[in-house]
Amino acid sequence: MARRLQPRGAGTKGPPAATAAASEAGPRPHPSAAAEPLASAKPLLRWDEVPDDFVECFILSGYRRLPCTAQECLASVLKPTNETLNFWTHFIPLLLFLSKFCRLFFLSGRDVPFHHPWLLPLWCYASGVLLTFAMSCTAHVFSCLSLRLRAAFFYLDYASISYYGFGSTVAYYYYLLPGLSLLDARVMTPYVQQRLGWHVDCTRLIAAYRALVLPVAFVLAVACTVACCKSRTDWCSYPFALRTFVFVMPLSMACPIMLESWLFDLRGENPTLFVHFYRRYFWLVVAAFFNVSKIPERIHPGLFDIIGHSHQLFHIFTFLSIYDQVYYVEEGLRQFLEAPPAAPTFSGTVGYMLLLVVCLGLVIKKFLNSAESCSKK
C-alpha cells in the first residue's frame, strides 16, 4: 500500500532541550502559519517522503508534494523538479510538430485542400503524433494532483501512444505500402518462381495481407493499452520492460518496408524512405535501451534526479524517431499524390480512429473503476 504523506515534522520528537525551550517560549504559532514558510523553504521532497506510487527507480529527490493544485503543477514546469525536463523534452517537440503539420495541411502550396479525402490518412497520423506529445506533457505536469488522477493521466498517456501507433499504420497503409514491390503481385509472383522455384500466385496472399493490416493493428493497439495499464499494478515486476515490449509490437506493421529493403533495391528506388526508416529504428532501439536499463541514474543514484536521467533521454530519442518518420511519411504522401491508386475512405481512416478512441476509453474506464474498487476494500 502507498504510504500516506505526512506533514514534515509530524510524528517526530525533538531533542529534550528544544522541547523545553519551545514550552517556555510561549504559545505555538498556528500550524498554517508555520507550514507556509516551511513549504516555501523546501517545496521538493525525497523519495521516502512521497507515496510509493510516486517513486521512480533510482531517483532520490526532486519530487513535488501531493496533492498539488493545478496552478502549482503549472508553475512547477519552471522549477527544477524531477519532472521539469520530462515536460519540456516533449512540449518543445509538440510545438515543432504542430508547426510542421500546419505547413503540410495549409501552407504546402499543393492544389489539394486540407479537407480532401487524399489527406485523411495524414490527418489520422498527425492527430496521433500531436496527441502523444500532448498527453505526455499533461501526464508529467499534472501527475501530482492526486493518486487517482495520476493513474488516469498515465492510462491516457498509454492510450495515446497506442492511438499514435495505429495512426502510423493508417498512413503506411495508404502512402507507403502501395509503392512496395513486395506487395505487388505482378512483381512477387515471378520473383518467388525465380528465387524459390515455387509456382505460387501471390495475388490472394497479398490481398489477404492488405485486408488484415488495419484490423490486426487495431487489435494490437487495444491489447497494448490493456497490457500497459496492467503494468501499473502490483503483479508486474518489470513494468518498464513490459511497456517497452508492447509498444514495439505495433511497429511490426512496418515489416514490409524492412523486407522490401532486403529483397529489392529500396536504397536505390527510394533512398529517402530507406535512410529515414532505418535511422528511425536506430533511435527507437536507443530509446528502448534507456527506458529499460535506467542508465545513467542506475549507476549513480541521486546525481541525475533533475537533469539527465533516463526518462528524459527516452523522450529525446523518441522525438528523433518520430521526426524521421514524419519525413518519410511526407515523402510517401508526395509520391501518393503524383498517382493516387484510390481515394481513402472516411470509414477506413477517421472511422477506425474514432472507434479506437471509444475502445481505449472503455479500457481506461475499466482500470480506473477496478483501482477504485480495490482502494475501498
Side-chain angles (χ1 to χ4, degrees):
M1 292 181 62
R3 297 186 297 270
R4 291 188 179 274
L5 189 60
Q6 299 291 338
R8 181 179 278 283
T12 60
K13 297 181 180 179
T19 306
S23 61
E24 294 175 1
R28 298 179 181 179
H30 191 273
S32 62
E36 289 180 5
L38 186 60
S40 61
K42 190 174 180 182
L44 300 181
L45 305 176
R46 289 183 56 80
W47 68 273
D48 54 351
E49 299 173 301
V50 298
D52 290 338
D53 190 52
F54 272 59
V55 178
E56 300 293 341
C57 296
F58 309 107
I59 302 296
L60 306 184
S61 63
Y63 293 95
R64 296 171 293 176
R65 64 183 180 83
L66 176 73
C68 284
T69 65
Q71 292 83 355
E72 289 171 329
C73 290
L74 290 173
S76 70
V77 302
L78 300 176
K79 298 177 182 178
T81 75
N82 57 31
E83 289 283 16
T84 301
L85 287 183
N86 288 340
F87 167 79
W88 287 107
T89 50
H90 267 181
F91 184 70
I92 293 174
L94 172 63
L95 298 180
L96 293 175
F97 284 127
L98 183 61
S99 172
K100 175 68 173 178
F101 288 123
C102 285
R103 291 197 303 271
L104 281 176
F105 284 114
F106 306 109
L107 303 173
S108 63
R110 293 188 299 262
D111 294 332
V112 181
F114 69 91
H115 53 79
H116 196 282
W118 289 346
L119 297 184
L120 287 177
L122 185 61
W123 277 109
C124 296
Y125 174 67
S127 67
V129 172
L130 297 178
L131 183 63
T132 295
F133 285 103
M135 278 310 311
S136 175
C137 293
T138 303
H140 284 296
V141 171
F142 296 106
S143 60
C144 58
L145 286 173
S146 70
L147 286 172
R148 176 177 171 80
L149 286 176
R150 176 182 174 85
F153 282 130
F154 281 105
Y155 289 159
L156 288 169
D157 190 23
Y158 304 148
S160 69
I161 297 173
S162 296
Y163 179 92
Y164 151 73
F166 184 73
S168 300
T169 304
V170 172
Y172 283 19
Y173 181 81
Y174 288 101
Y175 295 152
L176 298 175
L177 299 188
L180 300 182
S181 300
L182 185 71
L183 298 179
D184 188 343
R186 296 169 298 178
V187 175
M188 284 305 297
T189 298
Y191 180 88
V192 171
Q193 292 177 355
Q194 293 173 6
R195 289 295 184 94
L196 302 177
W198 297 349
H199 296 279
V200 178
D201 186 1
C202 296
T203 304
R204 291 185 178 180
L205 291 175
I206 293 174
Y209 176 82
R210 289 182 181 276
L212 292 174
V213 167
L214 293 181
V216 170
F218 186 97
V219 173
L220 277 177
V222 177
C224 287
T225 304
V226 172
C228 286
C229 291
K230 287 182 73 68
S231 73
R232 295 194 68 87
T233 59
D234 293 335
W235 69 269
C236 185
S237 302
Y238 303 98
F240 298 104
L242 175 62
R243 292 168 202 163
T244 302
F245 172 74
V246 299
F247 287 141
V248 166
M249 288 177 60
L251 301 179
S252 62
M253 295 292 101
C255 284
I257 300 175
M258 188 175 296
L259 292 174
E260 179 84 6
S261 68
W262 294 348
L263 301 178
F264 301 96
D265 185 22
L266 181 63
R267 176 182 291 183
E269 295 177 359
N270 195 336
T272 299
L273 176 58
F274 181 86
V275 171
H276 289 278
F277 178 81
Y278 277 101
R279 194 166 68 184
R280 160 176 161 76
Y281 279 88
F282 171 75
W283 298 135
L284 285 175
V285 170
V286 175
F289 166 78
F290 283 114
N291 195 42
V292 174
S293 68
K294 297 302 169 187
I295 291 175
E297 65 267 22
R298 178 187 291 271
I299 299 173
H300 199 310
L303 182 61
F304 303 96
D305 291 353
I306 307 301
I307 299 176
H309 61 73
S310 61
H311 200 76
Q312 296 165 3
L313 299 174
F314 170 71
H315 276 196
I316 291 170
F317 287 109
T318 52
F319 155 66
L320 291 175
S321 74
I322 296 177
Y323 179 84
D324 274 319
Q325 185 188 41
V326 169
Y327 201 94
Y328 65 74
V329 167
E330 181 183 2
E331 177 65 16
L333 171 64
R334 185 189 64 77
Q335 295 178 2
F336 173 86
L337 294 177
E338 290 177 355
T345 63
F346 183 88
S347 60
T349 53
V350 178
Y352 260 124
M353 303 302 287
L354 294 175
L355 181 60
L356 181 61
V357 168
V358 173
C359 293
L360 296 180
L362 293 175
V363 169
I364 293 172
K365 181 180 179 181
K366 177 182 182 299
F367 277 96
L368 287 176
N369 291 339
S370 298
E372 187 175 5
S373 62
C374 289
S375 65
K376 290 180 179 179
K377 291 181 180 180

